Amino acid sequence: QALEDQYSPSHWSPRLGRDTIIQAHIATMAAATQRAQTSVQTALHIPYGYGDREKLDIYFPPDPSETFPVLVYIHGGYWQCLSKEESGFAAPPLVSHGVGVVVVGYDIAPKGHMDAMVLQVRRSIAFLVERYSRIRGVYLCGHSAGAHLAAMVLSTDWTEYGVVPDIKGAVLVSGVYDLEPILHTYVNDELNMTREVAQRNSPMWCIAPAASVAVACEVLVAVAQHDSPEFRRQSQEYGQALRAAGWSVSMLDLADVDHFDIIEKLSEESYVLTQV
């Protein structure tokens, strides 16, 4: 039961009850995404594969004829809920500063299994850089399960994809980087991971040496004050493991936020994480 509680983010928020905070989180992100889609130039539902969810939403900066950096956002939801439809909320402040935002859709459980989700996100990055030649630099951003998937992108052997994306940075927010504890919780009821699946898809256990990365990639590992001790431990240990492998890593411990509003506030220009 203690492990179940540690991996139940809604259990740790001081703002709202466990039953209401997830609904409030989804509603907040969905409303901000709707605002973004009416205020920003977009290209929605761009297929990077043939599956129903293998699509990207792209939010362009004001002059997309110029080259521009791109923030690729990978949504959370414990690999079994949410979608790109609620996940464009971070676009307006970034777009206004000339940064494109791309939101990735992928197959969530039970249809999606862990190997497939990791593969889909990797393929979406390869597609993006092949399709849009004006992108200069890719920055990954993922929240919770999305931080896990973004971290798995960092361990990709790109020779299999025929392209080497210019990944300049990654912002990993309140993520899970070792899936083994998940096996022993309710989260795995839908995922049906075996120990082997969990191990080969744990960023903690497949860190590429920094020297093998074509260009210097800076990693920011962010965690909320009101994340559970286990989420905070995972962030700390993954950041330390990256650093030990030679990666450039910054840690950011954000005060007065929980597992949910740590990412919701990316819709606000003044928010410290938006600024970073």
Side-chain angles (χ1 to χ4, degrees):
Q1 185 58 49
L3 200 64
E4 295 266 327
D5 288 345
Q6 287 287 330
Y7 285 95
S8 300
S10 57
H11 187 78
W12 299 87
S13 173
R15 290 187 300 136
L16 292 166
R18 296 181 67 171
D19 297 333
T20 55
I21 191 159
I22 293 172
Q23 283 72 30
H25 177 57
I26 294 169
T28 298
M29 294 191 303
T33 298
Q34 279 194 321
R35 289 195 297 272
Q37 291 180 355
T38 58
S39 64
V40 169
Q41 181 184 340
T42 60
L44 304 178
H45 318 307
I46 305 295
Y48 66 85
Y50 298 104
D52 290 344
R53 281 185 173 239
E54 292 184 341
K55 295 183 173 67
L56 306 173
D57 286 347
I58 304 176
Y59 298 78
F60 290 103
D63 186 0
S65 63
E66 300 292 318
T67 61
F68 55 92
V70 154
L71 183 92
V72 177
Y73 182 74
I74 304 164
H75 70 79
Y78 255 161
W79 306 278
Q80 53 200 285
C81 66
L82 295 179
S83 70
K84 70 179 179 57
E85 271 61 50
E86 306 89 15
S87 301
F89 53 90
L94 294 168
V95 163
S96 69
H97 287 273
V99 180
V101 174
V102 175
V103 182
V104 179
Y106 57 91
D107 282 325
I108 55 175
K111 180 181 179 183
H113 54 87
M114 192 58 70
D115 289 321
M117 289 184 247
V118 170
L119 181 62
Q120 284 176 320
V121 173
R122 288 169 168 167
R123 282 198 292 109
S124 76
I125 304 294
F127 167 84
L128 185 68
V129 298
E130 284 184 315
R131 171 81 177 265
Y132 295 97
S133 58
R134 292 192 301 278
I135 291 173
R136 57 169 176 85
V138 172
Y139 296 80
L140 306 170
C141 179
H143 172 241
S144 197
H148 158 267
L149 293 170
M152 287 300 293
V153 172
L154 296 180
S155 70
T156 305
D157 177 0
W158 291 107
T159 56
E160 301 172 28
Y161 296 82
V163 62
V164 181
D166 182 13
I167 299 176
K168 292 188 178 298
V171 182
L172 308 176
V173 185
S174 294
V176 177
Y177 309 105
D178 178 3
L179 299 183
E180 201 277 337
I182 294 287
L183 296 172
H184 312 289
T185 72
Y186 71 96
V187 182
N188 201 40
D189 294 349
E190 290 286 336
L191 295 170
N192 284 313
M193 287 188 294
T194 62
R195 179 160 274 102
E196 292 73 29
V197 170
Q199 286 175 344
R200 70 170 169 260
N201 290 294
S202 287
M204 179 70 90
W205 306 116
C206 54
I207 293 173
S212 70
V213 181
V215 293
C217 171
E218 294 186 42
V219 181
L220 174 66
V221 180
V223 68
Q225 177 184 349
H226 301 296
D227 266 319
S228 74
E230 187 70 356
F231 268 83
R232 292 173 60 81
R233 177 193 68 80
Q234 286 233 9
S235 291
Q236 189 71 31
E237 292 184 3
Y238 181 60
Q240 289 169 346
L242 281 175
R243 205 171 271 154
W247 290 72
S248 173
V249 181
S250 304
M251 307 293 290
L252 188 59
D253 194 335
L254 287 154
D256 303 321
V257 288
D258 59 34
H259 187 82
F260 305 98
D261 60 351
I262 188 176
I263 199 74
E264 293 166 10
K265 288 174 178 284
L266 274 185
S267 63
E268 303 169 11
E269 181 147 0
S270 60
Y271 178 46
V272 59
L273 195 56
T274 314
Q275 292 292 320
V276 173

PDB file of all heavy atoms in Angstrom, residues 25-40 42 44 57 59 73 83-92 103 267:
ATOM      1  N   HIS A  25      -7.081  18.981 -13.448  1.00  0.00           N
ATOM      2  CA  HIS A  25      -5.853  19.030 -14.253  1.00  0.00           C
ATOM      3  C   HIS A  25      -6.177  18.926 -15.743  1.00  0.00           C
ATOM      4  O   HIS A  25      -5.726  19.740 -16.559  1.00  0.00           O
ATOM      5  CB  HIS A  25      -4.958  17.867 -13.816  1.00  0.00           C
ATOM      6  CG  HIS A  25      -3.683  17.725 -14.580  1.00  0.00           C
ATOM      7  ND1 HIS A  25      -2.746  18.726 -14.681  1.00  0.00           N
ATOM      8  CD2 HIS A  25      -3.181  16.665 -15.269  1.00  0.00           C
ATOM      9  CE1 HIS A  25      -1.711  18.291 -15.401  1.00  0.00           C
ATOM     10  NE2 HIS A  25      -1.967  17.049 -15.767  1.00  0.00           N
ATOM     11  N   ILE A  26      -7.002  17.946 -16.086  1.00  0.00           N
ATOM     12  CA  ILE A  26      -7.369  17.751 -17.494  1.00  0.00           C
ATOM     13  C   ILE A  26      -8.136  18.960 -18.015  1.00  0.00           C
ATOM     14  O   ILE A  26      -7.875  19.454 -19.123  1.00  0.00           O
ATOM     15  CB  ILE A  26      -8.193  16.458 -17.656  1.00  0.00           C
ATOM     16  CG1 ILE A  26      -7.323  15.241 -17.318  1.00  0.00           C
ATOM     17  CG2 ILE A  26      -8.749  16.342 -19.079  1.00  0.00           C
ATOM     18  CD1 ILE A  26      -8.100  13.942 -17.192  1.00  0.00           C
ATOM     19  N   ALA A  27      -9.074  19.470 -17.211  1.00  0.00           N
ATOM     20  CA  ALA A  27      -9.880  20.619 -17.636  1.00  0.00           C
ATOM     21  C   ALA A  27      -9.002  21.858 -17.844  1.00  0.00           C
ATOM     22  O   ALA A  27      -9.179  22.613 -18.817  1.00  0.00           O
ATOM     23  CB  ALA A  27     -10.971  20.913 -16.609  1.00  0.00           C
ATOM     24  N   THR A  28      -8.055  22.069 -16.942  1.00  0.00           N
ATOM     25  CA  THR A  28      -7.155  23.220 -17.050  1.00  0.00           C
ATOM     26  C   THR A  28      -6.332  23.148 -18.324  1.00  0.00           C
ATOM     27  O   THR A  28      -6.218  24.137 -19.069  1.00  0.00           O
ATOM     28  CB  THR A  28      -6.213  23.278 -15.821  1.00  0.00           C
ATOM     29  OG1 THR A  28      -7.005  23.452 -14.644  1.00  0.00           O
ATOM     30  CG2 THR A  28      -5.220  24.407 -15.947  1.00  0.00           C
ATOM     31  N   MET A  29      -5.763  21.989 -18.605  1.00  0.00           N
ATOM     32  CA  MET A  29      -4.924  21.841 -19.801  1.00  0.00           C
ATOM     33  C   MET A  29      -5.746  21.933 -21.072  1.00  0.00           C
ATOM     34  O   MET A  29      -5.310  22.532 -22.064  1.00  0.00           O
ATOM     35  CB  MET A  29      -4.167  20.523 -19.746  1.00  0.00           C
ATOM     36  CG  MET A  29      -3.142  20.459 -18.629  1.00  0.00           C
ATOM     37  SD  MET A  29      -2.052  19.039 -18.796  1.00  0.00           S
ATOM     38  CE  MET A  29      -3.223  17.699 -18.818  1.00  0.00           C
ATOM     39  N   ALA A  30      -6.933  21.336 -21.054  1.00  0.00           N
ATOM     40  CA  ALA A  30      -7.782  21.368 -22.247  1.00  0.00           C
ATOM     41  C   ALA A  30      -8.199  22.797 -22.583  1.00  0.00           C
ATOM     42  O   ALA A  30      -8.171  23.205 -23.758  1.00  0.00           O
ATOM     43  CB  ALA A  30      -9.007  20.487 -22.043  1.00  0.00           C
ATOM     44  N   ALA A  31      -8.574  23.571 -21.569  1.00  0.00           N
ATOM     45  CA  ALA A  31      -8.990  24.956 -21.806  1.00  0.00           C
ATOM     46  C   ALA A  31      -7.827  25.779 -22.336  1.00  0.00           C
ATOM     47  O   ALA A  31      -7.984  26.585 -23.283  1.00  0.00           O
ATOM     48  CB  ALA A  31      -9.530  25.567 -20.517  1.00  0.00           C
ATOM     49  N   ALA A  32      -6.636  25.598 -21.775  1.00  0.00           N
ATOM     50  CA  ALA A  32      -5.465  26.349 -22.230  1.00  0.00           C
ATOM     51  C   ALA A  32      -5.066  25.936 -23.643  1.00  0.00           C
ATOM     52  O   ALA A  32      -4.618  26.764 -24.441  1.00  0.00           O
ATOM     53  CB  ALA A  32      -4.302  26.135 -21.268  1.00  0.00           C
ATOM     54  N   THR A  33      -5.254  24.656 -23.976  1.00  0.00           N
ATOM     55  CA  THR A  33      -4.942  24.188 -25.331  1.00  0.00           C
ATOM     56  C   THR A  33      -5.909  24.791 -26.344  1.00  0.00           C
ATOM     57  O   THR A  33      -5.514  25.204 -27.437  1.00  0.00           O
ATOM     58  CB  THR A  33      -4.990  22.651 -25.389  1.00  0.00           C
ATOM     59  OG1 THR A  33      -3.988  22.125 -24.499  1.00  0.00           O
ATOM     60  CG2 THR A  33      -4.730  22.138 -26.798  1.00  0.00           C
ATOM     61  N   GLN A  34      -7.183  24.855 -25.977  1.00  0.00           N
ATOM     62  CA  GLN A  34      -8.167  25.492 -26.877  1.00  0.00           C
ATOM     63  C   GLN A  34      -7.806  26.943 -27.135  1.00  0.00           C
ATOM     64  O   GLN A  34      -7.880  27.421 -28.277  1.00  0.00           O
ATOM     65  CB  GLN A  34      -9.566  25.399 -26.268  1.00  0.00           C
ATOM     66  CG  GLN A  34     -10.231  24.049 -26.487  1.00  0.00           C
ATOM     67  CD  GLN A  34     -11.720  24.114 -26.185  1.00  0.00           C
ATOM     68  OE1 GLN A  34     -12.149  24.774 -25.239  1.00  0.00           O
ATOM     69  NE2 GLN A  34     -12.512  23.436 -26.988  1.00  0.00           N
ATOM     70  N   ARG A  35      -7.400  27.647 -26.095  1.00  0.00           N
ATOM     71  CA  ARG A  35      -6.981  29.051 -26.271  1.00  0.00           C
ATOM     72  C   ARG A  35      -5.774  29.139 -27.187  1.00  0.00           C
ATOM     73  O   ARG A  35      -5.695  30.008 -28.052  1.00  0.00           O
ATOM     74  CB  ARG A  35      -6.664  29.681 -24.908  1.00  0.00           C
ATOM     75  CG  ARG A  35      -7.886  29.937 -24.037  1.00  0.00           C
ATOM     76  CD  ARG A  35      -7.568  30.882 -22.884  1.00  0.00           C
ATOM     77  NE  ARG A  35      -6.581  30.332 -21.970  1.00  0.00           N
ATOM     78  CZ  ARG A  35      -6.884  29.560 -20.935  1.00  0.00           C
ATOM     79  NH1 ARG A  35      -8.152  29.211 -20.682  1.00  0.00           N
ATOM     80  NH2 ARG A  35      -5.920  29.117 -20.129  1.00  0.00           N
ATOM     81  N   ALA A  36      -4.846  28.214 -27.017  1.00  0.00           N
ATOM     82  CA  ALA A  36      -3.642  28.221 -27.846  1.00  0.00           C
ATOM     83  C   ALA A  36      -3.989  28.015 -29.314  1.00  0.00           C
ATOM     84  O   ALA A  36      -3.440  28.689 -30.200  1.00  0.00           O
ATOM     85  CB  ALA A  36      -2.677  27.136 -27.373  1.00  0.00           C
ATOM     86  N   GLN A  37      -4.932  27.119 -29.574  1.00  0.00           N
ATOM     87  CA  GLN A  37      -5.256  26.797 -30.973  1.00  0.00           C
ATOM     88  C   GLN A  37      -6.011  27.917 -31.669  1.00  0.00           C
ATOM     89  O   GLN A  37      -6.037  27.970 -32.891  1.00  0.00           O
ATOM     90  CB  GLN A  37      -6.037  25.480 -31.028  1.00  0.00           C
ATOM     91  CG  GLN A  37      -5.162  24.290 -30.650  1.00  0.00           C
ATOM     92  CD  GLN A  37      -5.884  22.961 -30.694  1.00  0.00           C
ATOM     93  OE1 GLN A  37      -7.096  22.899 -30.929  1.00  0.00           O
ATOM     94  NE2 GLN A  37      -5.155  21.888 -30.459  1.00  0.00           N
ATOM     95  N   THR A  38      -6.599  28.816 -30.898  1.00  0.00           N
ATOM     96  CA  THR A  38      -7.282  29.955 -31.523  1.00  0.00           C
ATOM     97  C   THR A  38      -6.367  31.169 -31.639  1.00  0.00           C
ATOM     98  O   THR A  38      -6.692  32.113 -32.354  1.00  0.00           O
ATOM     99  CB  THR A  38      -8.533  30.358 -30.709  1.00  0.00           C
ATOM    100  OG1 THR A  38      -8.133  30.673 -29.361  1.00  0.00           O
ATOM    101  CG2 THR A  38      -9.545  29.227 -30.683  1.00  0.00           C
ATOM    102  N   SER A  39      -5.214  31.138 -30.964  1.00  0.00           N
ATOM    103  CA  SER A  39      -4.359  32.327 -30.963  1.00  0.00           C
ATOM    104  C   SER A  39      -3.046  32.131 -31.714  1.00  0.00           C
ATOM    105  O   SER A  39      -2.298  33.086 -31.910  1.00  0.00           O
ATOM    106  CB  SER A  39      -4.034  32.734 -29.515  1.00  0.00           C
ATOM    107  OG  SER A  39      -3.287  31.727 -28.861  1.00  0.00           O
ATOM    108  N   VAL A  40      -2.780  30.910 -32.147  1.00  0.00           N
ATOM    109  CA  VAL A  40      -1.481  30.578 -32.730  1.00  0.00           C
ATOM    110  C   VAL A  40      -1.707  29.862 -34.061  1.00  0.00           C
ATOM    111  O   VAL A  40      -2.675  29.127 -34.217  1.00  0.00           O
ATOM    112  CB  VAL A  40      -0.699  29.660 -31.744  1.00  0.00           C
ATOM    113  CG1 VAL A  40       0.528  29.063 -32.391  1.00  0.00           C
ATOM    114  CG2 VAL A  40      -0.316  30.421 -30.487  1.00  0.00           C
ATOM    115  N   THR A  42      -1.422  26.989 -36.492  1.00  0.00           N
ATOM    116  CA  THR A  42      -1.234  25.569 -36.202  1.00  0.00           C
ATOM    117  C   THR A  42      -1.324  24.706 -37.451  1.00  0.00           C
ATOM    118  O   THR A  42      -1.887  25.106 -38.476  1.00  0.00           O
ATOM    119  CB  THR A  42      -2.305  25.055 -35.210  1.00  0.00           C
ATOM    120  OG1 THR A  42      -3.600  25.238 -35.803  1.00  0.00           O
ATOM    121  CG2 THR A  42      -2.235  25.773 -33.885  1.00  0.00           C
ATOM    122  N   LEU A  44      -2.579  20.809 -37.370  1.00  0.00           N
ATOM    123  CA  LEU A  44      -3.018  19.784 -36.429  1.00  0.00           C
ATOM    124  C   LEU A  44      -3.151  18.420 -37.102  1.00  0.00           C
ATOM    125  O   LEU A  44      -3.424  18.327 -38.301  1.00  0.00           O
ATOM    126  CB  LEU A  44      -4.360  20.197 -35.805  1.00  0.00           C
ATOM    127  CG  LEU A  44      -4.385  21.567 -35.104  1.00  0.00           C
ATOM    128  CD1 LEU A  44      -5.792  21.862 -34.567  1.00  0.00           C
ATOM    129  CD2 LEU A  44      -3.354  21.647 -33.984  1.00  0.00           C
ATOM    130  N   ASP A  57       0.613  17.629 -33.397  1.00  0.00           N
ATOM    131  CA  ASP A  57       0.052  18.976 -33.502  1.00  0.00           C
ATOM    132  C   ASP A  57       1.222  19.953 -33.463  1.00  0.00           C
ATOM    133  O   ASP A  57       2.076  19.882 -32.567  1.00  0.00           O
ATOM    134  CB  ASP A  57      -0.896  19.281 -32.339  1.00  0.00           C
ATOM    135  CG  ASP A  57      -2.229  18.563 -32.465  1.00  0.00           C
ATOM    136  OD1 ASP A  57      -2.525  18.022 -33.551  1.00  0.00           O
ATOM    137  OD2 ASP A  57      -2.976  18.530 -31.462  1.00  0.00           O
ATOM    138  N   TYR A  59       2.527  23.943 -33.470  1.00  0.00           N
ATOM    139  CA  TYR A  59       2.208  25.345 -33.195  1.00  0.00           C
ATOM    140  C   TYR A  59       3.394  26.167 -33.685  1.00  0.00           C
ATOM    141  O   TYR A  59       4.501  26.064 -33.144  1.00  0.00           O
ATOM    142  CB  TYR A  59       1.991  25.554 -31.690  1.00  0.00           C
ATOM    143  CG  TYR A  59       0.835  24.753 -31.127  1.00  0.00           C
ATOM    144  CD1 TYR A  59       0.965  23.387 -30.861  1.00  0.00           C
ATOM    145  CD2 TYR A  59      -0.390  25.352 -30.849  1.00  0.00           C
ATOM    146  CE1 TYR A  59      -0.086  22.648 -30.341  1.00  0.00           C
ATOM    147  CE2 TYR A  59      -1.458  24.616 -30.319  1.00  0.00           C
ATOM    148  CZ  TYR A  59      -1.291  23.268 -30.076  1.00  0.00           C
ATOM    149  OH  TYR A  59      -2.339  22.535 -29.557  1.00  0.00           O
ATOM    150  N   TYR A  73       6.723  18.403 -27.082  1.00  0.00           N
ATOM    151  CA  TYR A  73       6.091  18.083 -25.805  1.00  0.00           C
ATOM    152  C   TYR A  73       5.451  16.697 -25.855  1.00  0.00           C
ATOM    153  O   TYR A  73       4.678  16.379 -26.762  1.00  0.00           O
ATOM    154  CB  TYR A  73       5.024  19.125 -25.442  1.00  0.00           C
ATOM    155  CG  TYR A  73       4.385  18.830 -24.099  1.00  0.00           C
ATOM    156  CD1 TYR A  73       5.081  19.074 -22.915  1.00  0.00           C
ATOM    157  CD2 TYR A  73       3.121  18.248 -24.008  1.00  0.00           C
ATOM    158  CE1 TYR A  73       4.524  18.756 -21.680  1.00  0.00           C
ATOM    159  CE2 TYR A  73       2.559  17.935 -22.778  1.00  0.00           C
ATOM    160  CZ  TYR A  73       3.266  18.192 -21.624  1.00  0.00           C
ATOM    161  OH  TYR A  73       2.721  17.869 -20.405  1.00  0.00           O
ATOM    162  N   SER A  83      -3.989  12.877 -23.989  1.00  0.00           N
ATOM    163  CA  SER A  83      -3.701  12.810 -25.420  1.00  0.00           C
ATOM    164  C   SER A  83      -3.097  14.149 -25.830  1.00  0.00           C
ATOM    165  O   SER A  83      -2.994  15.076 -25.019  1.00  0.00           O
ATOM    166  CB  SER A  83      -4.995  12.563 -26.209  1.00  0.00           C
ATOM    167  OG  SER A  83      -5.823  13.721 -26.158  1.00  0.00           O
ATOM    168  N   LYS A  84      -2.758  14.256 -27.094  1.00  0.00           N
ATOM    169  CA  LYS A  84      -2.234  15.539 -27.581  1.00  0.00           C
ATOM    170  C   LYS A  84      -3.321  16.616 -27.574  1.00  0.00           C
ATOM    171  O   LYS A  84      -3.011  17.805 -27.556  1.00  0.00           O
ATOM    172  CB  LYS A  84      -1.629  15.380 -28.978  1.00  0.00           C
ATOM    173  CG  LYS A  84      -2.636  15.112 -30.090  1.00  0.00           C
ATOM    174  CD  LYS A  84      -1.935  15.005 -31.436  1.00  0.00           C
ATOM    175  CE  LYS A  84      -2.907  14.707 -32.563  1.00  0.00           C
ATOM    176  NZ  LYS A  84      -4.005  15.662 -32.735  1.00  0.00           N
ATOM    177  N   GLU A  85      -4.579  16.211 -27.539  1.00  0.00           N
ATOM    178  CA  GLU A  85      -5.688  17.179 -27.599  1.00  0.00           C
ATOM    179  C   GLU A  85      -5.718  18.117 -26.391  1.00  0.00           C
ATOM    180  O   GLU A  85      -6.265  19.203 -26.481  1.00  0.00           O
ATOM    181  CB  GLU A  85      -7.036  16.459 -27.732  1.00  0.00           C
ATOM    182  CG  GLU A  85      -7.458  16.202 -29.166  1.00  0.00           C
ATOM    183  CD  GLU A  85      -6.502  15.331 -29.960  1.00  0.00           C
ATOM    184  OE1 GLU A  85      -6.121  14.240 -29.469  1.00  0.00           O
ATOM    185  OE2 GLU A  85      -6.094  15.740 -31.073  1.00  0.00           O
ATOM    186  N   GLU A  86      -5.169  17.694 -25.255  1.00  0.00           N
ATOM    187  CA  GLU A  86      -5.126  18.580 -24.079  1.00  0.00           C
ATOM    188  C   GLU A  86      -3.721  19.130 -23.843  1.00  0.00           C
ATOM    189  O   GLU A  86      -3.452  19.692 -22.788  1.00  0.00           O
ATOM    190  CB  GLU A  86      -5.537  17.834 -22.790  1.00  0.00           C
ATOM    191  CG  GLU A  86      -6.857  17.131 -22.832  1.00  0.00           C
ATOM    192  CD  GLU A  86      -6.737  15.707 -23.331  1.00  0.00           C
ATOM    193  OE1 GLU A  86      -5.605  15.167 -23.370  1.00  0.00           O
ATOM    194  OE2 GLU A  86      -7.777  15.139 -23.712  1.00  0.00           O
ATOM    195  N   SER A  87      -2.839  18.985 -24.800  1.00  0.00           N
ATOM    196  CA  SER A  87      -1.418  19.158 -24.480  1.00  0.00           C
ATOM    197  C   SER A  87      -0.712  20.280 -25.239  1.00  0.00           C
ATOM    198  O   SER A  87       0.512  20.313 -25.279  1.00  0.00           O
ATOM    199  CB  SER A  87      -0.694  17.824 -24.710  1.00  0.00           C
ATOM    200  OG  SER A  87      -1.272  16.809 -23.900  1.00  0.00           O
ATOM    201  N   GLY A  88      -1.478  21.215 -25.797  1.00  0.00           N
ATOM    202  CA  GLY A  88      -0.857  22.356 -26.476  1.00  0.00           C
ATOM    203  C   GLY A  88      -0.779  23.601 -25.617  1.00  0.00           C
ATOM    204  O   GLY A  88      -0.480  24.691 -26.108  1.00  0.00           O
ATOM    205  N   PHE A  89      -1.007  23.440 -24.326  1.00  0.00           N
ATOM    206  CA  PHE A  89      -1.152  24.595 -23.418  1.00  0.00           C
ATOM    207  C   PHE A  89       0.121  25.427 -23.290  1.00  0.00           C
ATOM    208  O   PHE A  89       0.059  26.607 -22.962  1.00  0.00           O
ATOM    209  CB  PHE A  89      -1.594  24.115 -22.032  1.00  0.00           C
ATOM    210  CG  PHE A  89      -0.711  23.041 -21.452  1.00  0.00           C
ATOM    211  CD1 PHE A  89       0.378  23.367 -20.687  1.00  0.00           C
ATOM    212  CD2 PHE A  89      -0.987  21.700 -21.711  1.00  0.00           C
ATOM    213  CE1 PHE A  89       1.202  22.395 -20.167  1.00  0.00           C
ATOM    214  CE2 PHE A  89      -0.169  20.707 -21.192  1.00  0.00           C
ATOM    215  CZ  PHE A  89       0.937  21.044 -20.423  1.00  0.00           C
ATOM    216  N   ALA A  90       1.285  24.830 -23.554  1.00  0.00           N
ATOM    217  CA  ALA A  90       2.556  25.550 -23.381  1.00  0.00           C
ATOM    218  C   ALA A  90       2.911  26.407 -24.592  1.00  0.00           C
ATOM    219  O   ALA A  90       3.888  27.152 -24.552  1.00  0.00           O
ATOM    220  CB  ALA A  90       3.684  24.563 -23.101  1.00  0.00           C
ATOM    221  N   ALA A  91       2.119  26.317 -25.660  1.00  0.00           N
ATOM    222  CA  ALA A  91       2.531  26.949 -26.915  1.00  0.00           C
ATOM    223  C   ALA A  91       2.591  28.485 -26.892  1.00  0.00           C
ATOM    224  O   ALA A  91       3.595  29.057 -27.327  1.00  0.00           O
ATOM    225  CB  ALA A  91       1.631  26.468 -28.062  1.00  0.00           C
ATOM    226  N   PRO A  92       1.563  29.204 -26.416  1.00  0.00           N
ATOM    227  CA  PRO A  92       1.570  30.658 -26.620  1.00  0.00           C
ATOM    228  C   PRO A  92       2.811  31.404 -26.132  1.00  0.00           C
ATOM    229  O   PRO A  92       3.409  32.163 -26.903  1.00  0.00           O
ATOM    230  CB  PRO A  92       0.287  31.118 -25.917  1.00  0.00           C
ATOM    231  CG  PRO A  92      -0.635  29.937 -26.054  1.00  0.00           C
ATOM    232  CD  PRO A  92       0.267  28.752 -25.873  1.00  0.00           C
ATOM    233  N   VAL A 103       3.416  18.804 -30.368  1.00  0.00           N
ATOM    234  CA  VAL A 103       2.844  17.903 -29.366  1.00  0.00           C
ATOM    235  C   VAL A 103       2.656  16.531 -30.010  1.00  0.00           C
ATOM    236  O   VAL A 103       2.054  16.412 -31.079  1.00  0.00           O
ATOM    237  CB  VAL A 103       1.506  18.451 -28.834  1.00  0.00           C
ATOM    238  CG1 VAL A 103       0.954  17.518 -27.767  1.00  0.00           C
ATOM    239  CG2 VAL A 103       1.684  19.859 -28.276  1.00  0.00           C
ATOM    240  N   SER A 267       1.771  27.357 -19.326  1.00  0.00           N
ATOM    241  CA  SER A 267       0.978  28.273 -20.154  1.00  0.00           C
ATOM    242  C   SER A 267       1.216  29.734 -19.764  1.00  0.00           C
ATOM    243  O   SER A 267       0.772  30.643 -20.460  1.00  0.00           O
ATOM    244  CB  SER A 267      -0.518  27.950 -20.031  1.00  0.00           C
ATOM    245  OG  SER A 267      -0.946  28.144 -18.691  1.00  0.00           O
TER     246      SER A 267
END
